Amino acid sequence: MSDTFTKLTYQTLQQGKNYFSLAHKTLSLQLKNLTYPTLGQNIKPIPNEILLKLQQRLNQLLETDWQDAQKGVYPESLLFDNPWEDFFCYYPLVWLDLPQIWERVKQNKYQDFAPEIETDGYPSYYVQNFHHQSNGYLSDLSANLYDLQVELLFGGTADVMRRRILAPLKQGLKAFESVPPRQVRILDVACGTGRTLKLMRAVLPQASLFGTDLSPAYLRKANESLSQIPGELPQLVQANAEELPYLDDYFHAVTSVFLFHELPAAVRQTVIEQCFRVTKPGGVFIICDSIQLGDSPEMLSLMDSFPETFHEPYYKHYTTDDLVARLEKAGFENIEMQVHFASKYFIARKPA
């Protein structure tokens, strides 16, 4: 009876997130149509059959999430972990930022940064208003709004999709069962606000966790969040994933969540090769990112409109990019792929 009640509570929570996200999108669209009626005229509405397919995938994702908790992959408490304080604090700011976003879209401004934002020294492909958000990834406000914005985009399932890396991560670490838990090292590349590292800490309380990101603002947010968790603080470093500042064969596992669709093709290969370099022989590298066209040909219209709707300049190429070939070129083997809702996962192993 307890499990039934817990599952019902979990389903109610996720449905509430989904309904809230839908309401937010509906109201913001209506407001945009009133204030900027010409914006988005070329973007076609999502057909009902695609919406039905998405709902089916969403239901499957939530069931997988519940089952993984039941199997002990992670504690049930993770199912209910949500930064409510941030939500109530920053949601009004999401609305206040929308007019700036719409004005930026209207003027086709995709590299628009406030004068106080330092943009020198970053790769040109990174200095973008990804998702049309103000100051891209380079401001504290952006870092504060990011997790909420992504939850609204994915109907409250961003963390649910992040959690799909935990089962293959734990499975991959079995190759190092003789290593004391405190000596196990895991790197999250492009760790952002630290949500993935927080999930890892819940299932691997003794492991040494590391995170890199290009944005000092997002690293500050990650440090603020992760420092509230008892135990060893993950080691966060500002670094370009094209030049990871670690020794060869240093990590037992490496992960990357929602990064590769925001990289140019050549950079994707470089980052994969860097991840291979720093992974120990026998270690595992896990990518979580967007689904690709070959996984869901019926989603073509949705994928076609996504880059324009959310300013993702490298997404279209990503949808047809052969990441398995890229992983194999770098030296990875035994590559497994999974698809959950809107995300795709590559689980690759470095030869022992």
Side-chain angles (χ1 to χ4, degrees):
M1 186 65 179
S2 175
D3 282 351
T4 301
F5 178 76
T6 304
K7 185 174 185 179
L8 181 61
T9 305
Y10 167 66
Q11 291 172 331
T12 302
L13 172 65
Q14 288 299 145
Q15 285 176 353
K17 287 182 177 182
N18 191 252
Y19 292 150
F20 189 91
S21 172
L22 181 60
H24 171 82
K25 291 171 183 173
T26 302
L27 289 173
S28 59
L29 179 62
Q30 291 174 346
L31 181 60
K32 178 176 71 70
N33 289 342
L34 281 172
T35 54
Y36 291 87
T38 60
L39 285 188
Q41 287 184 332
N42 297 328
I43 299 173
K44 298 177 182 178
I46 303 173
N48 287 335
E49 59 269 22
I50 300 300
L51 290 174
L52 179 61
K53 182 75 172 177
L54 286 171
Q55 184 61 52
Q56 291 171 343
R57 288 188 170 198
L58 173 59
N59 294 339
Q60 291 169 355
L61 171 71
L62 299 181
E63 181 61 26
T64 300
D65 195 33
W66 170 257
Q67 290 299 331
D68 274 358
Q70 293 301 293
K71 294 172 188 173
V73 175
Y74 39 80
E76 276 187 3
S77 59
L78 277 192
L79 300 177
F80 302 96
D81 178 56
N82 198 75
W84 295 111
E85 185 176 335
D86 276 10
F87 178 91
F88 290 115
C89 178
Y90 296 119
Y91 182 64
L93 297 180
V94 170
W95 280 98
L96 290 174
D97 195 42
L98 283 177
Q100 297 180 65
I101 290 175
W102 295 332
E103 187 63 31
R104 197 174 297 116
V105 174
K106 179 182 177 182
Q107 298 184 30
N108 293 319
K109 286 187 173 181
Y110 303 127
Q111 294 179 305
D112 180 34
F113 292 85
E116 68 271 15
I117 299 296
E118 180 60 61
T119 58
D120 290 342
Y122 293 101
S124 59
Y125 63 81
Y126 185 74
V127 186
Q128 303 267 354
N129 300 110
F130 289 105
H131 318 146
H132 301 292
Q133 62 194 22
S134 298
N135 294 317
Y137 290 133
L138 294 177
S139 75
D140 290 308
L141 178 61
S142 169
N144 285 327
L145 297 185
Y146 175 80
D147 288 321
L148 177 53
Q149 289 170 326
V150 174
E151 283 290 278
L152 292 170
L153 171 62
F154 288 120
T157 65
D159 272 351
V160 185
M161 290 190 288
R162 289 186 184 103
R163 285 197 284 271
R164 305 282 62 76
I165 73 165
L166 296 178
L169 174 61
K170 291 179 74 175
Q171 182 64 35
L173 289 174
K174 287 183 177 180
F176 303 101
E177 285 182 318
S178 61
V179 178
R182 289 188 182 279
Q183 295 179 22
V184 171
R185 293 185 292 268
I186 304 167
L187 171 66
D188 188 36
V189 177
C191 65
T193 63
R195 291 296 296 174
T196 302
L197 287 169
K198 187 178 182 183
L199 298 175
M200 288 183 194
R201 177 55 79 218
V203 299
L204 300 164
Q206 293 184 300
S208 292
L209 302 182
F210 297 73
T212 64
D213 202 273
L214 265 174
S215 170
Y218 277 62
L219 289 171
R220 282 193 292 272
K221 181 69 176 178
N223 188 67
E224 174 189 321
S225 173
L226 296 169
S227 63
Q228 299 172 22
I229 304 171
E232 182 183 325
L233 185 65
Q235 299 180 42
L236 306 179
V237 175
Q238 184 182 3
N240 189 334
E242 296 178 77
E243 297 180 88
L244 292 173
Y246 301 105
L247 298 173
D248 295 359
D249 306 333
Y250 190 66
F251 295 101
H252 300 86
V254 177
T255 62
S256 181
V257 178
F258 302 148
L259 166 67
F260 278 80
H261 72 280
E262 292 188 343
L263 299 176
V267 178
R268 280 180 221 135
Q269 187 65 46
T270 301
V271 172
I272 287 173
E273 289 168 0
Q274 281 289 297
C275 291
F276 181 85
R277 179 183 66 78
V278 301
T279 301
K280 281 183 175 293
V284 64
F285 175 42
I286 303 170
I287 297 172
C288 161
D289 215 297
S290 166
I291 54 173
Q292 295 182 292
L293 188 56
D295 309 308
S296 306
E298 72 277 10
M299 302 287 182
L300 174 60
S301 60
L302 202 58
M303 292 188 197
D304 272 350
S305 64
F306 188 80
E308 180 180 349
T309 307
F310 296 101
H311 184 60
E312 292 283 6
Y314 314 110
Y315 181 82
K316 190 172 182 63
H317 184 276
Y318 165 85
T319 61
T320 57
D321 198 9
D322 189 346
L323 289 192
V324 171
R326 293 191 182 280
L327 288 161
E328 289 176 340
K329 181 180 178 181
F332 287 106
E333 63 181 18
N334 299 329
I335 300 162
E336 175 190 351
M337 289 181 288
Q338 299 177 7
V339 173
H340 298 284
F341 186 41
S343 289
K344 185 172 184 176
Y345 305 77
F346 299 84
I347 301 109
R349 291 149 186 94
K350 185 169 180 175

